[in-house]
Amino acid sequence: MERISFDAVSVPELYQRLLVPAIFAPWAERLIAFAGVSEGDAVLDVAAGTGVVSAAALERVGPSGRVVATDVSPGMLEVARVDRPRLETLVGPADDLPVKNGSFDVALCQQGFQFLPDKVAAAAAMRRSVRSGGTAALAVWRCGTLLEPFDVYGRALQALGAPEPFPRAYAYDFCMAEDEVRAVLESSGLEQVEVGVETLEITWSSLDDAVRGIGGTPYGPAAAALDAEAQARLGATLRQELRSPHPMHAVLARGVVP
């Protein structure tokens, strides 16, 4: 079988092409449904990245609605705007959102919240952005379960002795427990907080795509830096580990703005 090269394309390109359809787009649909986004709503997508949630929200709110994506990375927002002329974008941190208080019906944050240094401040910023009676909702990876494919990618690189591509890369503790999520949202001033766990079966278009998916993650540069022999070993390990995908588990939580 031909060896898969891990240095052919950029991280953003592989993220959009491989990880978004298999992982992030299905989770975006779950979050939007959980938050109760409706036609005509004004929606804020916090830590929007390349706009996966924004794209799904635009479909849900229709032409009478509005979606604004915020992120600290202008480059990410540039990608988010591609083929989405109705999407508004603003550069700014999640704990100091550059929006008027009470200007949205719903604020969302998908798989970015666990990386924020001041989570209570970020939740409070989401609360302030939403009108009274509106909803703030988020999704984070759940601690205590295998986070495939990310745990698999990290373990495979670690076994090859590759240097950590980012701090705590091989621990991958970028997750939250249900009680922690509830405490953060309640501390921010949100009321009627609801927290639950949802499970999603990953569907890759092919095993090759599952293996190449490492290139669309922060592990991608470490994989690309390996020599040909190590890349071949990495590919073989990932093929074995990802042949039968495990379900992903996320904590979904929402609260109402008083």
Side-chain angles (χ1 to χ4, degrees), residues 58 80-88:
L58 283 168
R81 287 192 296 270
V82 174
D83 297 326
R84 298 168 190 151
R86 292 177 47 225
L87 179 64
E88 303 171 49

Side-chain angles (χ1 to χ4, degrees), residues 11-97:
V11 170
E13 180 181 343
L14 285 173
Y15 174 87
Q16 283 294 107
R17 181 159 61 87
L18 302 179
L19 297 185
V20 166
I23 299 173
F24 293 104
W27 277 116
E29 295 292 346
R30 294 282 187 96
L31 178 59
I32 285 172
F34 179 78
V37 175
S38 302
E39 185 175 357
D41 278 348
V43 176
L44 179 66
D45 183 9
V46 178
T50 59
V52 181
V53 168
S54 296
L58 283 168
E59 292 290 328
R60 185 67 63 94
V61 303
S64 61
R66 175 188 181 215
V67 178
V68 177
T70 68
D71 200 277
V72 294
S73 169
M76 287 287 195
L77 293 177
E78 184 176 348
V79 175
R81 287 192 296 270
V82 174
D83 297 326
R84 298 168 190 151
R86 292 177 47 225
L87 179 64
E88 303 171 49
T89 59
L90 292 169
V91 177
D95 58 0
D96 188 18
L97 295 168

Side-chain angles (χ1 to χ4, degrees), residues 5 11 40 56 68 121 170 199 222 256:
S5 173
V11 170
V68 177
Y170 297 145
T199 300
V256 175

Side-chain angles (χ1 to χ4, degrees), residues 21 77 79 86 112 117 126 140 143 145 199 212 231 241 252:
L77 293 177
V79 175
R86 292 177 47 225
M126 291 176 67
V140 299
C143 289
T145 58
T199 300
R212 288 191 179 98
Q231 284 198 6
E241 294 292 329
L252 271 65

